[in-house]
Amino acid sequence: MLIRRTFDTETYRFREGCKAPELVCITLKEGGAPSSIHHWSEGLEVLRRVWAPDSLVVGQYVAYDAAVTLANFPQLTDLVFRAYDEGRVTDTKIREQLLDIQ
């Protein structure tokens, strides 16, 4: 059974040549638990849970958050690509846009 993990990353501002800047914090909601905010220093541990094989990864503009994950923690590359390959990533904004054009 998959655990729905909804997350969002906050970063420093974009700059020339850097569209996935350094992480500031992560907001995470796991299953029915309340949301929690995590400092960037907890990022590796938190994002390892987000992208774990038992996760259904949910968010808005998840591709950006995935890019931030990979830019800040390249050791999670296999987990991120595995989640996409297995169809365990869903983007609420894209889903809404697809529903709007039906």
Side-chain angles (χ1 to χ4, degrees):
M1 180 176 188
L2 293 177
I3 300 167
R4 183 177 53 226
R5 292 188 169 102
T6 305
F7 84 114
D8 184 39
T9 61
E10 301 301 332
T11 65
Y12 287 95
R13 298 180 79 167
F14 295 154
R15 60 185 181 279
E16 190 67 32
C18 184
K19 299 300 180 189
E22 293 82 8
L23 189 60
V24 173
C25 66
I26 303 162
T27 303
L28 174 65
K29 180 165 176 47
E30 296 182 272
S35 296
S36 55
I37 299 174
H38 301 271
H39 187 264
W40 70 265
S41 62
E42 301 172 275
L44 180 58
E45 173 190 328
V46 171
L47 291 169
R48 193 180 306 276
R49 282 200 327 262
V50 167
W51 297 102
D54 68 344
S55 291
L56 171 61
V57 181
V58 180
Q60 276 204 353
Y61 300 114
V62 177
Y64 174 77
D65 297 312
V68 169
T69 297
L70 297 174
N72 286 270
F73 303 105
Q75 61 268 48
L76 299 180
T77 299
D78 290 344
L79 287 177
V80 172
F81 280 93
R82 181 176 172 191
Y84 273 100
D85 287 346
E86 293 176 355
R88 294 186 288 106
V89 179
T90 189
D91 189 303
T92 57
K93 183 69 171 178
I94 292 173
R95 291 174 63 91
E96 184 65 29
Q97 289 171 337
L98 289 170
L99 288 171
D100 287 346
I101 62 172
Q102 285 187 345

